[in-house]
Amino acid sequence: MDINSTFNARNLVRLEAALLAHPVAQAYFQGRLFDGYGQPLRELNIHHTEGPPLRLNAATTGRLCMIPDGSLVTATRIDDRSEAPAGVDIHYSNIFIQNGQHNSVVMYRSQSGPAMWIDALYIRNVMLAPQAPPRLTSVAFGLMAIAAYRLGFQHISLLAAGGGPLRETSEDDLIGYAVWPKLGFDAEVASVELDRFPNPALTGAATVQDVRKNAPGWWEEHGSGRTMLFQLAANSRSWSILLNYLYTALMEDAT
């Protein structure tokens, strides 16, 4: 994907500075990572089918894969028999992840990208424990999206699990269907889904973001899990939503 220098300068430079100044980034996204042997991680090399590897220093690895400082990081190649796309699975563990779980991000080649180049990310698992600091996911994903854009990735995808109605939640509840759209992820919505709980404002709505815009609260109440996508192209709808959400959140934290 081509990098739009104007979009980067007008939007991402400012956002990155604001995110890196946030207490969460100051404490947990400085690139203090460890490999599977407990040694400091200096560099992660992601090999393509052809050509030189993608070389990531520790700080970029942490931001690109939403990995907080203090995490143990390992990379494993997976094939298309898993539930995730075939590619390189970067998985990590730390004190903020639920017991018995690990979080991971898969780097892979999308069908729309160059034939030999890893150009997409799949957030395979994000399971945070109650002691995780507030805004960890928001700050981490903002840094992830910025890093992915600058490295030329096309998009970020995930399975947003769970379904409405959204109520008071516990550690084991799956609420990704409601959380990830706030950060700019989108997916198609079938008209038959909307017809189950009719609302005149949803006439013509075709995506999750259409539903959220036209009938606020409907998706949290009646939505359901599905694969969702964040489009990394400059000035995409995904970026517009994420920028607005993060600046609002950062201003709230500053007051």
Side-chain angles (χ1 to χ4, degrees), residues 6 28 31 41 140 206:
T6 301
Y28 302 115
L41 181 70

Side-chain angles (χ1 to χ4, degrees), residues 34-57:
F34 301 88
D35 63 22
Y37 299 99
Q39 299 301 309
L41 181 70
R42 303 301 182 191
E43 186 177 73
L44 191 66
N45 295 326
I46 308 300
H47 292 273
H48 306 286
T49 305
E50 292 185 1
L54 176 63
R55 298 185 182 276
L56 306 171
N57 62 30

Side-chain angles (χ1 to χ4, degrees), residues 10-147:
R10 290 182 177 177
N11 296 283
L12 303 192
V13 171
R14 178 186 171 207
L15 176 62
E16 181 182 47
L19 289 171
L20 291 177
H22 193 278
V24 165
Q26 291 286 307
Y28 302 115
F29 288 95
Q30 300 302 309
R32 295 185 289 269
L33 307 178
F34 301 88
D35 63 22
Y37 299 99
Q39 299 301 309
L41 181 70
R42 303 301 182 191
E43 186 177 73
L44 191 66
N45 295 326
I46 308 300
H47 292 273
H48 306 286
T49 305
E50 292 185 1
L54 176 63
R55 298 185 182 276
L56 306 171
N57 62 30
T60 302
T61 298
R63 296 174 191 176
L64 184 64
C65 299
M66 301 176 67
I67 307 176
D69 288 354
S71 298
L72 294 175
V73 182
T74 57
T76 306
R77 187 165 292 279
I78 59 174
D79 58 29
D80 55 12
R81 290 175 292 180
S82 71
E83 83 287 355
V88 179
D89 184 19
I90 313 300
H91 50 100
Y92 54 96
S93 58
N94 56 57
I95 61 172
F96 301 136
I97 299 174
Q98 293 181 21
N99 290 334
Q101 299 286 342
H102 70 268
N103 289 356
S104 76
V105 171
V106 178
M107 301 183 187
Y108 69 102
R109 180 182 65 82
S110 69
Q111 293 182 349
S112 61
M116 300 300 178
W117 192 257
I118 290 176
D119 69 335
L121 298 172
Y122 178 79
I123 301 176
R124 189 177 187 183
N125 202 32
V126 177
M127 300 292 287
L128 297 181
Q131 68 267 25
R135 303 290 191 202
L136 179 64
T137 298
S138 298
V139 171
F141 181 71
L143 293 172
M144 176 192 216
I146 293 170

Side-chain angles (χ1 to χ4, degrees), residues 73 119-120 131 138 142-143 149 156 158 165 169 188 193-194 224 244:
V73 182
D119 69 335
Q131 68 267 25
S138 298
L143 293 172
Y149 177 81
I156 304 169
L158 50 74
T169 60
E188 293 183 354
E193 297 180 81
L194 306 181
S224 58
N244 181 68

